[in-house]
Amino acid sequence: MPTEEAAVLKCFVIMGFGEKTDPGTGRLLNLDATYHNVIKPAAQAAGYACVRADEVLHSGVIDIPMYEMLLDADLVVADVSTSNLNAMFELGVRYALKPRSTIVIAESKFSSPFDINHIVIRKYTHLGPDIGYSEVGRMQQQLTLLMKAIQRSNAPDSPVYSLLSSLKPPTQKIKQASSSYAKSLVTAQDETYAAQWQEAMTARAAGDFVKEKATLIGIYESQAAKSGEDENAVRPRVIRELAFATYKIGDKELETNSSAAAAAYEEAISLLQILEPDQTTDPETLGLWSGVHKRRSALPGRAADDRLADLDTAIYAAERGFLIRQDYYTGINLAYLFDVRASISSGEYKIADRVFANRVRRRVVDAAEKALNSLPEQFEQTEDRGTKIMTLYWPQATLAEALIGLNDPRGETELAKAKQMAPADWMVEITLQQIEDLKRMRKA
């Protein structure tokens, strides 16, 4: 397989980074899996040096390098899954600049909010956290063949140049664009945003949230506006993950130092306030906003009024997230929060929260059963047993918790199924702990 250093042709990839919520289905898709497992290997097999913006941009200043890449790249691959507005915009710029050599892909359930029926979009099956082994192979092969065919074709694929046949593409050369692009492709990995991000995620996987936070702070500071320069907002993803790492540090501190935990939660809340959680419609931000207030509400010695205020905030954020996403994971956490608030309330307020909790659980049962019924069909595209089990466990465990919360006798049977398929002990421990806490609160 050609290496990026040996390749002559340049491929620029347009897509979101990390995990993004598809607004059409509410599913959380790991777009990094698409890039690293499908697009990049396919491009390398076709003889292209492949790069995504996060692999070459150490600072947050993206405009000039992005436009250079959109103009200079021999090939652009755009993944418009989750209707990412940046990807849509960049695709439009590419179509305006180049008559040919642009490929558009999207996951199979993608439904465009725009009128782009005249554009060929090649679909692939995404399982959410990952892509199945056989589907990776199929899509890689399809893309590689298409990329090689494009090298031999002069036919326009841009709707702009297809419909305006007399239009001529720009011929102005960007000074040193090609050389600067080539240098960016072989930049040492420890200098790239992607490498820093991988370092942070590796630390998270190892449970080293202190190291993760330190790495994310480096990314954050590199993207922050510099004195005398134009305002440049830090990417929301960096802020979200920095807030997550911060309150996970708080969780660990809670075991021995509640004051340090409280300080960490306050810091996480301050970070999330940058993203305007009271107005946002981003499910990930809402989930973090809900989670950190839930944790702060449980601090030892927290005043009753403050605890109730935290729970109110957590519930409101979770309600908004569930309304947007309609998924079993957000729903089961919302139901649990209603029960937590009911456990410290009385009278009609207690009754109301119990009613709300059960109403949400009934919807969660429907969502979890729908997920469990649809996943086997998607799994026809994968032979990876680990991916199957990891993806099936959470809807199965959530179904069990929802049924147990509803006093449905099927709950224990579904819980036994979940235990059998759990790929890791900690997953079962989390499920059992929440169910035990729920039973305890229901007795109060």
Side-chain angles (χ1 to χ4, degrees):
M1 179 181 295
T3 64
E4 290 187 343
E5 290 81 353
V8 176
L9 300 173
K10 302 181 290 291
C11 173
F12 180 51
V13 180
I14 298 169
M15 66 187 306
F17 310 148
E19 294 183 330
K20 292 290 184 292
T21 299
D22 176 24
T25 65
R27 294 180 305 142
L28 191 64
L29 303 180
N30 183 353
L31 298 180
D32 287 348
T34 304
Y35 176 63
H36 291 294
N37 299 338
V38 176
I39 301 173
K40 192 164 188 172
Q44 290 174 332
Y48 290 88
C50 186
V51 68
R52 192 173 66 171
D54 62 319
E55 290 182 321
V56 298
L57 301 175
H58 184 74
S59 71
V61 182
I62 188 172
D63 293 1
I64 294 175
M66 180 193 73
Y67 287 123
E68 287 182 353
M69 292 175 186
L70 290 173
L71 175 62
D72 192 52
D74 299 290
L75 173 70
V76 164
V77 177
D79 188 340
V80 294
S81 301
T82 73
S83 302
N84 184 284
L85 294 180
N86 286 335
M88 294 287 190
F89 172 77
E90 292 164 20
L91 175 61
V93 172
R94 171 68 176 189
Y95 276 151
L97 293 174
K98 290 282 191 177
R100 64 185 62 85
S101 302
T102 302
I103 298 172
V104 184
I105 66 173
E107 64 92 19
S108 59
K109 296 184 183 298
F110 169 77
S111 178
S112 174
F114 308 112
D115 182 11
I116 56 173
N117 294 330
H118 53 291
I119 296 174
V120 177
I121 302 177
R122 290 165 174 83
K123 300 290 185 74
Y124 64 94
T125 300
H126 204 305
L127 301 177
D130 207 344
I131 304 172
Y133 178 81
S134 59
E135 177 67 351
V136 165
R138 183 195 71 80
M139 194 61 181
Q140 269 190 28
Q141 182 180 37
Q142 183 184 57
L143 283 179
T144 298
L145 292 174
L146 181 59
M147 291 170 178
K148 289 181 177 179
I150 283 176
Q151 296 174 22
R152 302 187 297 269
S153 173
N154 290 321
D157 50 46
S158 162
V160 177
Y161 290 89
S162 297
L163 298 173
L164 304 176
S165 57
S166 62
L167 188 65
K168 302 297 182 183
T171 57
Q172 180 179 358
K173 300 293 184 181
I174 296 179
K175 294 181 180 180
Q176 299 180 339
S178 179
S179 61
S180 65
Y181 191 171
K183 288 178 182 178
S184 73
L185 292 171
V186 295
T187 299
Q189 283 298 303
D190 59 358
E191 296 179 4
T192 66
Y193 172 87
Q196 286 185 307
W197 196 264
Q198 183 58 49
E199 183 181 350
M201 294 303 102
T202 299
R204 175 181 296 184
D208 189 348
F209 298 109
V210 173
K211 182 178 180 180
E212 178 192 358
K213 181 180 179 180
T215 305
L216 289 169
I217 286 174
I219 298 173
Y220 178 94
E221 291 177 345
S222 73
Q223 295 179 359
K226 307 293 190 299
S227 176
E229 296 181 358
D230 291 338
E231 185 64 23
N232 178 46
V234 176
R235 291 177 183 142
R237 182 189 180 196
V238 178
I239 297 172
R240 284 195 298 267
E241 302 305 337
L242 184 55
F244 175 83
T246 300
Y247 88 63
K248 291 302 290 184
I249 291 173
D251 287 349
K252 288 199 170 185
E253 292 284 5
L254 188 58
E255 299 172 6
T256 57
N257 189 339
S258 60
S259 296
Y265 296 152
E266 291 290 344
E267 183 182 352
I269 288 170
S270 296
L271 284 165
L272 290 171
Q273 284 174 334
I274 299 171
L275 302 179
E276 300 182 331
D278 291 335
Q279 284 79 42
T280 187
T281 57
D282 176 68
E284 282 76 37
T285 300
L286 290 170
L288 286 169
W289 190 245
S290 176
V292 71
H293 281 87
K294 171 187 173 183
R295 283 163 170 76
R296 191 171 70 167
S297 73
L299 282 170
R302 187 80 171 152
D305 289 346
D306 291 337
R307 185 183 183 197
L308 185 59
D310 282 336
L311 286 172
D312 288 343
T313 300
I315 287 171
Y316 181 53
E319 283 179 311
R320 291 163 58 208
F322 187 50
L323 180 64
I324 295 167
R325 193 178 262 175
Q326 291 293 303
D327 66 309
Y328 56 84
Y329 178 79
T330 306
I332 201 65
N333 284 322
L334 174 58
Y336 182 82
L337 283 167
F338 275 129
D339 273 308
V340 173
R341 190 169 65 180
S343 70
I344 62 172
S345 302
S346 60
E348 61 185 13
Y349 294 104
K350 186 184 192 78
I351 295 171
D353 277 341
R354 289 279 173 82
V355 171
F356 286 140
N358 283 343
R359 283 181 175 175
V360 172
R361 283 193 179 93
R362 291 187 185 96
R363 293 167 65 185
V364 167
V365 168
D366 291 340
E369 289 180 334
K370 181 179 178 181
L372 289 168
N373 290 332
S374 65
L375 284 172
E377 179 181 345
Q378 296 182 39
F379 285 151
E380 292 177 3
Q381 302 289 343
T382 180
E383 299 171 357
D384 187 343
R385 183 174 181 274
T387 298
K388 291 180 180 180
I389 293 175
M390 179 66 77
T391 309
L392 282 170
Y393 175 77
W394 289 117
Q396 182 64 49
T398 301
L399 175 61
E401 181 183 338
L403 290 171
I404 289 172
L406 292 168
N407 294 319
D408 189 313
R410 293 179 295 160
E412 295 298 336
T413 301
E414 299 299 332
L415 181 60
K417 293 180 184 177
K419 290 179 181 179
Q420 291 177 352
M421 67 172 59
D425 291 341
W426 66 265
M427 298 170 74
V428 178
E429 291 170 3
I430 289 174
T431 300
L432 294 179
Q433 184 61 58
Q434 183 143 313
I435 289 174
E436 288 304 312
D437 290 344
L438 176 61
K439 290 178 178 179
R440 175 181 50 78
M441 288 187 295
R442 282 298 182 96
K443 292 178 180 178

